[in-house]
Amino acid sequence: MTLSKVLSVALAVAVACANPVLKGTTRVVPRDSPTPSAFPLGDACKNEWQYVNFNSDEDTDKVHLQKLHDVICSGEIRAISSYGLVSARDLLAPYRRYFAESDDEDDFQTHVKDVLGLIAGTSSTDGPVGSVVKTFVVDNLDYGANDPNARDCTDEGVLAYTDTDQLDSREKIHFCDLSWTRGGAGDVDCASLDPYPSTKMDSFSRIALHEMLHYSSVGPKTSLAEQILDAKNADGLPASNPERVHGLLDPEQDDYPLAPEINADSYAWMSLDAWISHKCAADRNGNNWASYFTEDPPPYDSEELED
């Protein structure tokens, strides 16, 4: 690994792992620690994630539970992660937009394939998603609000988060209100898209995949052997949309070739890019679908950080 690469990724990781700003008032919510359970509205599918603190008699909770069930059991998570895997394996355009090509020093493609393969699973006969997903827990409570040093849904721009709950020491995912407004990837209108990947193609499954990737049982348990975090661009802001994720890699922008493989949204947007490309392409013969987007995302807008 060259010195320039080491310095590049060190900068990205140092920013991503920086201690969050203290929020001042501790908002501790007294609560019990119930045990996560299977899908409470009917039969769970194989390897479906677990649920806690949902009220199956409450209409809004029932809608959210069904959405969480469907994104797994319909095969949508497997679909987008599998197309991301294929894109990495065959070095297709969606992969090359966000990740570096493997070289003698770093096997980026294998790392990406292994991570996404863990989520997708090896075969549809094993269930609609990889077996690691059955260990994931979705908490309906904004449990981060109990930790003044943790993220929660009051933080600007947070759609969801994955963290260890201080109350029960479990790693859990919580989806914030904004995330529920995202539709399914299959509902994306191809005619409305730009010639480059943008947030117009966003979906709930992209958010869900992003959060799954943060689990300590994903990145560290594959050939990547590292925790997948939320990296930041050179201006110190999160690499969290197609423009910024592309900018991490782009030699004309951040030029951090090691950062994408430890950035959750690099995997999530690349996988969604690949699936949407296949969905919308007029020619799906072979890998022709991969060239659906004819342009890379434009440079991200650099903003001044507040003091």
Side-chain angles (χ1 to χ4, degrees):
M1 185 182 298
T2 64
L3 178 59
S4 63
K5 284 186 176 181
V6 171
L7 292 176
S8 292
V9 77
L11 176 59
V13 173
V15 174
C17 295
N19 289 328
V21 177
L22 293 178
K23 299 176 186 175
T25 303
T26 302
R27 291 162 293 152
V28 178
V29 180
R31 56 199 171 97
D32 297 324
S33 180
T35 301
S37 68
F39 181 58
L41 301 182
D43 293 334
C45 60
K46 189 173 182 181
N47 297 333
E48 183 173 354
W49 47 16
Q50 302 169 65
Y51 305 87
V52 67
N53 291 314
F54 286 87
N55 181 354
S56 57
D57 294 324
E58 203 276 325
D59 288 345
T60 299
D61 282 13
K62 286 195 287 187
V63 171
H64 293 170
L65 282 164
Q66 193 65 52
K67 189 163 192 167
L68 291 163
H69 172 78
D70 290 347
V71 78
I72 300 293
C73 301
S74 70
E76 186 169 336
I77 287 291
R78 162 167 274 163
I80 66 171
S81 54
S82 294
Y83 274 95
L85 186 158
V86 169
S87 188
R89 183 193 68 198
D90 296 346
L91 198 63
L92 303 178
Y95 174 88
R96 289 187 280 106
R97 260 190 279 276
Y98 310 105
F99 293 92
E101 184 175 353
S102 295
D103 55 30
D104 292 338
E105 296 176 340
D106 301 290
D107 196 357
F108 299 111
Q109 290 164 255
T110 294
H111 296 165
V112 173
K113 285 190 299 179
D114 287 354
V115 166
L116 293 174
L118 189 65
I119 299 296
T122 57
S123 169
S124 58
T125 60
D126 296 333
V129 74
S131 61
V132 70
V133 177
K134 68 184 178 185
T135 67
F136 300 166
V137 178
V138 181
D139 194 337
N140 193 43
L141 290 182
D142 187 6
Y143 64 88
N146 292 270
D147 182 353
N149 296 322
R151 295 167 296 175
D152 63 48
C153 292
T154 65
D155 292 334
E156 185 178 358
V158 173
L159 295 172
Y161 59 87
T162 302
D163 213 333
T164 299
D165 188 348
Q166 290 183 325
L167 181 69
D168 58 14
S169 299
R170 286 191 179 99
E171 259 184 308
K172 296 186 289 191
I173 299 170
H174 176 71
F175 292 93
C176 303
D177 288 345
L178 281 175
S179 68
W180 302 113
T181 65
R182 300 298 196 273
D187 298 327
V188 171
D189 178 11
C190 299
S192 71
L193 299 177
D194 296 309
Y196 52 84
S198 72
T199 55
K200 291 179 181 179
M201 66 181 186
D202 201 8
S203 68
F204 184 77
S205 53
R206 193 274 308 170
I207 300 170
L209 177 58
H210 172 118
E211 296 307 327
M212 291 177 179
L213 294 164
H214 282 316
Y215 258 81
S216 59
S217 53
V218 178
K221 302 301 182 181
T222 67
S223 61
L224 176 63
E226 293 186 63
Q227 186 79 30
I228 298 174
L229 309 168
D230 293 321
K232 297 191 177 185
N233 291 108
D235 64 357
L237 298 179
S240 58
N241 60 38
E243 291 88 350
R244 285 186 165 273
V245 171
H246 172 67
L248 278 178
L249 178 68
D250 186 3
E252 301 299 319
Q253 297 185 74
D254 297 352
D255 194 21
Y256 295 163
L258 296 184
E261 66 177 5
I262 51 91
N263 181 45
D265 256 336
S266 294
Y267 292 85
W269 282 112
M270 185 275 286
S271 296
L272 184 60
D273 179 335
W275 193 89
I276 292 293
S277 293
H278 185 268
K279 163 185 162 66
C280 295
D283 181 6
R284 298 181 183 177
N285 291 323
N287 287 330
N288 292 341
W289 55 267
S291 60
Y292 171 74
F293 288 112
T294 56
E295 300 175 17
D296 288 335
Y300 65 83
D301 291 329
S302 182
E303 299 177 20
E304 293 293 329
L305 289 177
E306 296 181 356
D307 292 336

